[in-house]
Amino acid sequence: FGKQTHKIILAIAIIMALFIGMYPYLPALNPSSLLVSVDVNYYFTYMENSVNLNIFSFLSNIIQEDRALFLVFQQVIVSLTGSTDLAIRVIPAILSVLLTISVYYFVSIGSKDRYMAALAALFTTTSFQIVAGINAGFYANWLALIELNIFLALFLKAIECKKKISKYSIISTILLVSILFTHSATWIVVIASLSTYIIITFIQRTIKRHETIIVSQIALVSIITELIKNNILQSQSTTQIAQSMTPQFSYANLLQIFRTLNVTFTYFLGGAYANPIILIIATIGLFHIAKKRQKLYQLLLAITIVCTLGTFVSSAAFPEIFQSRFIYLVPFSVLAAIGLKTILNVSNNFDNKAGAIS
């Protein structure tokens, strides 16, 4: 591959992401310009009700929401476009492009391999994170996923610095707090993933003292912020969210895992999650990283473990389809890029050996 190949792949991925984000609202496909998904109506109504509010009234209204930062984000889009109707239709395209770029940034920082990062970005444009994000209206979850990718990239850079406190650890802390204010359920998964990451690095004997301190600082500041958010700002707490999720969790769901996964992949959003090519290649990537000691791989493994456990013990029952939310956070596009590169490497090695024999 040429030196500029990764730029070409990334450019194609961004253009595809933009097109896919705009596609549901193209006049030829949607002549009545109907809003796509049920959740979008909630966001659109919030936009409409906030148009004539001053900044202070707007902030006082959203401070008790569990997705306050997304509401700020969409209001910024309204201000830039000058129309709530246009804003709600361009948000999917904006989120699609931002997710694609954030995945590229995360993988390029973590792997130092721009080609693999570009592949991950390309897989992202065809992943269900974008398709389900549009069709289900997972906008806040989607924005939190973008923040998560940037957080993970800067977290890895903070570890590389080998300092207890650096600009990267400070920005990482801010980003984790922003995830808390964007989508609290995602924040819970991130905290659980960081804990799992520490366990993995301890088991594999790669953990460093400064690493433990960085994780502890980031998590502690974030948890204190959650307590302030709950007790002082009177915002919806992660405890309330966790309590609403708890009835959906049961070890009995393990015995029904194939049935519930069939429901999620076959019926939820008309099968938007059913992307067998990415799922198979991502599985190969997961096996490849399982015993690797690279920090990027350990982070990916931690997130995958947490989301997989959540998937296995949660229900696929309507309307609280928490299983789909756990699957939504699995980094399939990154794992698929790793899997594809593994396949290509094995193929190249085989060709080289075959050539040497002949």
Side-chain angles (χ1 to χ4, degrees):
F1 296 101
K3 292 183 178 180
Q4 304 302 316
T5 303
H6 71 278
K7 293 182 180 179
I8 296 172
I9 295 174
L10 179 61
I12 292 171
I14 291 173
I15 292 170
M16 286 177 60
L18 184 63
F19 174 74
I20 292 171
M22 295 171 59
Y23 184 74
Y25 293 108
L26 292 178
L29 182 70
N30 188 355
S32 301
S33 196
L34 298 174
L35 293 178
V36 178
S37 94
V38 176
D39 285 6
V40 169
N41 290 316
Y42 161 75
Y43 293 123
F44 183 68
T45 301
Y46 216 103
M47 281 183 183
E48 292 279 280
N49 294 338
S50 303
V51 168
N52 297 319
L53 296 180
N54 60 49
I55 185 66
F56 298 107
S57 299
F58 172 70
L59 291 177
S60 64
N61 280 355
I62 69 168
I63 199 64
Q64 294 184 338
E65 297 286 342
D66 74 315
R67 53 198 64 193
L69 270 185
F70 175 77
L71 296 176
V72 171
F73 170 80
Q74 73 170 16
Q75 208 59 32
V76 170
I77 303 301
V78 171
S79 300
L80 292 175
T81 58
S83 164
T84 55
D85 193 62
L86 178 59
I88 200 67
R89 286 164 172 75
V90 300
I91 282 176
I94 294 171
L95 291 174
S96 297
V97 171
L98 290 177
L99 182 63
T100 301
I101 294 172
S102 70
V103 167
Y104 174 83
Y105 179 65
F106 166 44
V107 179
S108 64
I109 293 296
S111 68
K112 305 295 188 294
D113 185 337
R114 292 182 178 181
Y115 174 67
M116 189 166 75
L119 284 178
L122 186 61
F123 276 122
T124 299
T125 63
T126 57
S127 70
F128 53 71
Q129 268 94 359
I130 288 180
V131 177
I134 294 171
N135 292 339
F138 287 169
Y139 290 179
N141 204 162
W142 199 346
L143 182 60
L145 196 56
I146 293 165
E147 294 168 338
L148 174 58
N149 288 324
I150 301 172
F151 163 77
L152 293 173
L154 295 178
F155 173 72
L156 289 171
K157 288 185 76 69
I159 292 173
E160 287 177 1
C161 282
K162 297 182 180 180
K163 296 179 181 178
K164 296 176 183 177
I165 298 179
S166 66
K167 63 180 180 181
Y168 298 115
S169 64
I170 293 172
I171 299 173
S172 296
T173 304
I174 294 171
L175 279 167
L176 187 54
V177 170
S178 75
I179 293 173
L180 171 63
F181 281 92
T182 302
H183 196 257
S184 299
T186 301
W187 178 82
I188 295 173
V189 171
V190 177
I191 291 295
S193 298
L194 286 175
S195 303
T196 305
Y197 168 78
I198 290 296
I199 294 171
I200 290 171
T201 53
F202 177 78
I203 292 173
Q204 295 185 340
R205 299 181 180 180
T206 61
I207 192 167
K208 306 296 182 183
R209 184 169 179 271
H210 79 280
E211 199 171 346
T212 308
I213 293 173
I214 290 171
V215 173
S216 300
Q217 289 172 344
I218 291 174
L220 183 61
V221 171
S222 193
I223 291 170
I224 290 173
T225 305
E226 155 58 17
L227 294 174
I228 293 172
K229 176 174 175 280
N230 181 29
N231 297 306
I232 297 179
L233 300 180
Q234 298 297 308
S235 177
Q236 184 178 10
S237 69
T238 52
T239 303
Q240 292 172 299
I241 294 171
Q243 287 174 344
S244 69
M245 294 170 67
T246 300
Q248 294 287 317
F249 294 146
S250 171
Y251 290 114
N253 288 325
L254 283 170
L255 304 176
Q256 306 177 58
I257 185 61
F258 293 108
R259 184 189 64 79
T260 57
L261 283 176
N262 181 59
V263 170
T264 299
F265 281 93
T266 306
Y267 299 105
F268 181 63
L269 298 176
Y273 275 31
N275 192 327
I277 295 176
I278 286 185
L279 293 175
I280 292 169
I281 300 175
T283 302
I284 294 171
L286 181 61
F287 279 113
H288 177 74
I289 71 171
K291 294 183 179 181
K292 299 289 184 179
R293 298 191 175 189
Q294 190 176 333
K295 295 299 180 184
L296 169 65
Y297 295 163
Q298 291 171 328
L299 267 178
L300 290 172
L301 186 60
I303 296 170
T304 303
I305 288 172
V306 170
C307 292
T308 302
L309 288 175
T311 298
F312 282 8
V313 300
S314 59
S315 169
F318 291 86
E320 297 87 0
I321 315 175
F322 289 119
Q323 187 181 76
S324 67
R325 294 294 187 137
F326 281 111
I327 297 173
Y328 189 76
L329 292 174
V330 177
F332 281 112
S333 58
V334 181
L335 293 172
I338 295 170
L340 180 58
K341 189 175 180 186
T342 301
I343 294 170
L344 293 175
N345 287 341
V346 170
S347 177
N348 288 335
N349 290 337
F350 180 80
D351 289 343
N352 291 337
K353 288 179 180 179
I357 292 172
S358 62

